[in-house]
Amino acid sequence: ETNTLPFHPFEMQQGDILRMEKEHQVLKEQLKEAEEKYEQLQSRSSEEISAVKELLKKSVEKTEVSKNELDWLHQDLEIKVKKWQQEKKENKENLKALRNTAKKHTDTNDRYSKTIDEKEKKYNGYLNTYLETSNKLANDKVKLEELIKKSQDDRQECVKRAVKAEISVLKNWKETEVYKLNGKAANAEANLKMLKSLSSLPSAAPKLKSQIDSWETFISNVKKQLEKVEAEYEEKIQMVKNGVQNCLTKMQTVELPSP
């Protein structure tokens, strides 16, 4: 996790400092090669000049050369000397440029090294602060997780209690409605029983026939409503047990008028 990002402002992208150090090393090697080449060229040029001079001396001693030939030899010698001087000048300039570049890179490396040391000290300070903060946050996280777990346990307990309470309320509503409907059914059956006993008299049978039918129909409707109430409240109780919310609504029953 360390030194994987560009080191601003000395790096535009990661690896610039390392690449500059490699270039500095390459320039040192080029400088060394240039110096060796310069020394070889100087030695070779000196040997060539000595050889030409020696050849000229022997030619003059052995033969009588014409003035034109002698001028030509001088011109050739001057050309070679000028060429050697030009190469020497170019090599000096190249050597000077390489030395300046090497010095520039050395100064840059020194400056970067100093800056890196300062940044490293700051980084170590930041790292220590980060580690202290991280440990503190880790401890706070453990405490929060414990509080969250406790809150979740408390919530689960509250949910269980709420479910029990809703089921209890629904059962009470159901029992109340069932009690009322059973009361109506019992009263109606008592009236029906009385009417049927009176209808055994021949003179009263025709008059009571319609009332007996009305009470039988009423009793049938009460029993149907009783079954509906029990079924709907049982369904709501089951929904509450399954975790469905907003089920605590009282069933609207139709008021059945007695005959």
Side-chain angles (χ1 to χ4, degrees), residues 48-86:
E48 289 178 356
I49 292 173
S50 298
V52 171
K53 287 182 178 180
E54 185 66 23
L55 180 62
L56 179 61
K57 181 179 178 182
K58 290 180 179 179
S59 297
V60 171
E61 291 175 353
K62 289 182 179 180
T63 61
E64 293 180 357
V65 293
S66 63
K67 187 178 181 299
N68 291 334
E69 290 177 343
L70 186 60
D71 291 340
W72 178 81
L73 289 174
H74 279 294
Q75 290 176 1
D76 185 59
L77 178 61
E78 288 176 358
I79 290 172
K80 288 184 177 181
V81 170
K82 287 180 180 180
K83 182 179 179 182
W84 173 78
Q85 289 177 344
Q86 183 64 29

Side-chain angles (χ1 to χ4, degrees), residues 33-45 91:
E33 292 175 0
E35 290 175 346
E36 292 175 355
K37 182 177 179 183
Y38 171 77
E39 292 174 357
Q40 292 174 0
L41 182 60
Q42 187 177 22
S43 176
R44 180 167 54 83
S45 298
N91 286 332

Side-chain angles (χ1 to χ4, degrees), residues 64-191:
E64 293 180 357
V65 293
S66 63
K67 187 178 181 299
N68 291 334
E69 290 177 343
L70 186 60
D71 291 340
W72 178 81
L73 289 174
H74 279 294
Q75 290 176 1
D76 185 59
L77 178 61
E78 288 176 358
I79 290 172
K80 288 184 177 181
V81 170
K82 287 180 180 180
K83 182 179 179 182
W84 173 78
Q85 289 177 344
Q86 183 64 29
E87 289 180 353
K88 181 180 179 181
K89 181 180 179 182
E90 291 176 356
N91 286 332
K92 282 185 176 180
E93 291 176 353
N94 291 334
L95 183 62
K96 183 179 179 181
L98 288 173
R99 284 176 175 171
N100 291 334
T101 303
K103 185 178 184 302
K104 180 180 178 182
H105 283 290
T106 301
D107 295 340
T108 303
N109 282 339
D110 293 340
R111 187 170 65 255
Y112 284 175
S113 297
K114 183 179 179 181
T115 305
I116 288 171
D117 291 339
E118 295 175 354
K119 295 294 183 181
E120 187 174 2
K121 291 179 181 178
K122 290 183 179 180
Y123 167 77
N124 290 330
Y126 294 152
L127 181 61
N128 292 333
T129 303
Y130 165 76
L131 292 175
E132 292 176 358
T133 306
S134 178
N135 292 333
K136 182 179 178 182
L137 291 176
N139 294 332
D140 293 342
K141 180 182 178 183
V142 171
K143 293 179 180 178
L144 287 174
E145 287 176 348
E146 292 175 353
L147 290 174
I148 290 171
K149 185 178 183 303
K150 185 177 182 303
S151 299
Q152 289 176 343
D153 294 340
D154 293 343
R155 180 182 176 277
Q156 292 295 329
E157 184 63 26
C158 291
V159 169
K160 291 178 181 179
R161 292 171 59 189
V163 168
K164 289 181 180 180
E166 290 184 8
I167 292 174
S168 177
V169 171
L170 290 172
K171 284 182 177 180
N172 288 335
W173 287 348
K174 172 190 170 184
E175 291 173 358
T176 301
E177 293 296 328
V178 168
Y179 176 78
K180 287 168 57 179
L181 292 173
N182 282 330
K184 287 184 178 181
N187 290 334
E189 287 175 352
N191 291 333

Side-chain angles (χ1 to χ4, degrees), residues 167-230:
I167 292 174
S168 177
V169 171
L170 290 172
K171 284 182 177 180
N172 288 335
W173 287 348
K174 172 190 170 184
E175 291 173 358
T176 301
E177 293 296 328
V178 168
Y179 176 78
K180 287 168 57 179
L181 292 173
N182 282 330
K184 287 184 178 181
N187 290 334
E189 287 175 352
N191 291 333
L192 180 62
K193 182 178 181 181
M194 182 185 65
L195 290 173
K196 284 183 176 180
S197 64
L198 292 175
S199 65
S200 60
L201 299 175
S203 60
K207 295 179 181 180
L208 298 177
K209 180 68 170 60
S210 62
Q211 292 187 30
I212 291 172
D213 292 341
S214 297
W215 279 105
E216 287 178 345
T217 302
F218 176 75
I219 292 171
S220 177
N221 291 335
V222 169
K223 289 182 177 180
K224 288 180 180 179
Q225 189 168 6
L226 181 61
E227 292 176 356
K228 181 180 179 182
V229 167
E230 289 179 340

